Amino acid sequence: MKTIITYGTFDLLHVGHVNLLERLRALGDKLIVGVSTDEFNLLKGKQCIYGYAERARIVGALGCVDLVIPENNWSQKSGDIKKYNIDLFGIGADWQGKFDELQTLCEVIYLPRTPSISTTSLKKALSQIDSEAIQKIKQGLDGVLDIVKALE
Ligand code: C2G
């Protein structure tokens, strides 16, 4: 029985997250995912669209995920590795080298990220849709205003 652990925010879950979790699960028999709490994300300077409860529910619903735990701080990893008898800690390569100290407790791997998809780019695209919609509404109202003025 090989148990694997990873951590993340997993906001607006996308194919990049799913690819990472499925690749990690394929390396063992059980995958535990630490989902960052809203309080911890504030510490990380991250503002999420979905709150902890929803992000944990969505991650937990994935077939490749066996257990979801809250990630409350940076230092809980070594305790979790001992508590859950972790064999392998894995995370995306944007964290390359950042968790090497855990190698005294278990195997540590960094997996290449899925290119050209991120929660940040999704948020940007959504905000653009919003501003375009607002722009269209404004144009429509300006048109109506012109008609009203013409009728005066
Ligand atoms: N990821 C990926 N490909 C992408 C986007 C994300 O492989 N296109 C991976 C990240 O590398 C990370 C995981 O998906 O391993 C979750 O990413 P985030 O939700 O952005 O998590 P992060 O804020 O990096 O939190 O203690 C560690 C932190 O909790 C990591």
Side-chain angles (χ1 to χ4, degrees), residues 9-10 36 44 46 71 77 91-92 94-95 113-114 117:
T9 302
F10 301 106
S36 311
K44 288 200 278 182
K46 280 201 169 189
E71 183 187 25
K77 293 182 178 71
I91 200 161
D94 46 324
W95 292 92
R113 282 170 63 90
T114 300
I117 180 79

Side-chain angles (χ1 to χ4, degrees), residues 3-41:
T3 306
I4 298 165
I5 199 163
T6 190
Y7 299 81
T9 302
F10 301 106
D11 190 28
L12 296 181
L13 197 86
H14 55 67
V15 70
H17 296 140
V18 174
N19 284 344
L20 178 94
L21 296 173
E22 286 183 343
R23 277 181 288 161
L24 287 173
R25 180 62 176 77
L27 297 171
D29 308 289
K30 182 176 180 181
L31 176 62
I32 299 175
V33 182
V35 173
S36 311
T37 60
D38 300 325
E39 297 73 21
F40 182 43
N41 273 324

